[in-house]
Amino acid sequence: MTDLKNKVALVTGSARGIGKMIALRLASRGADIVVNYTRDKASGDATIREIEALGVRALGIQANVAEVSEVKGMFQQALTTFGKVDIVVVNAGVETIDIPLADVTEELYDRLYSINVKGAFFTMQQAAKTVSDHGRIIYIGSTSTDLPVPGISLYGSSKTAPQYLVRVLALELGSRGITVNGVIPTAIDGAGVFTDAGDNTHWRDFVKKSVPMGRMGTVEDVADVTEFFAGKLSSFVSGQNLCVTGGALA
């Protein structure tokens, strides 16, 4: 079992979905957790209670990753409370589907790119400045970057840039023993546009038919790989974007 005792992990977008499961998983391995959310304080508080029930400390920070000043403030607050940050999981993002490129509005473009690209970039920048030597930076991406599908041009393109940043940042931080990796899952049940069980039935069927294992991914699947990247077993693995697809090519 991964031992993260005496580690501090900051997980963006961790009030629900993939981020919440990752926060709970790292907490269950002994890490103190910084829970970040943008608006949903009730869900953030609920996640904090679940984390504290595991016997570790939790700090909730409301911050919009699309605002650089709020990203900086989030890291500073984490340092003030815990004294260090050892693990950063760059998870916060917005997902859209069923929107042809011709129908994408400037408003929607700005919203997705401000969170998925700008937010990820400046969170990774602050992580680079803040994370302890031999720490971990983990980006949660999407296989939509490798599988062109009608209706997801905006979302897929917005997830592409941070996957490139993973490789660059691994080169820049390697001398400090910091690893930088990406977890790149297929469509995940219980997250994003698939948060509600009955939504997007045709997309669910499409995913299941595309995956050799015959099912969608789960938040636990993503947490499994994130746990690996957060622990000692991955200490010589860096600059990788690992697909979590159940055998699908993308």
Side-chain angles (χ1 to χ4, degrees), residues 35 47 146 179 188 199:
V35 174
T47 300
D146 295 321
T179 67
I188 299 297
D199 287 352

Side-chain angles (χ1 to χ4, degrees), residues 141-207:
S142 167
T143 56
S144 62
T145 58
D146 295 321
L147 180 64
V149 174
I152 61 170
S153 61
L154 181 61
Y155 175 66
S157 63
S158 74
K159 300 295 282 187
T160 300
Q163 289 177 208
Y164 175 80
L165 296 177
V166 163
R167 301 196 299 271
V168 173
L169 202 55
L171 296 172
E172 295 178 350
L173 299 180
S175 62
R176 292 174 52 199
I178 296 170
T179 67
V180 187
N181 291 292
V183 180
I184 314 300
T186 185
I188 299 297
D189 200 3
V193 296
F194 300 104
T195 299
D196 297 321
D199 287 352
N200 304 304
T201 300
H202 69 290
W203 278 100
R204 290 176 181 274
D205 292 340
F206 171 78
V207 173

Side-chain angles (χ1 to χ4, degrees), residues 1-5 24-31 54 56 227:
M1 181 182 296
T2 305
D3 183 2
L4 298 178
K5 292 178 182 177
L24 289 171
R25 177 65 64 81
L26 300 183
S28 73
R29 301 305 185 244
L54 295 170
V56 298
E227 178 184 341

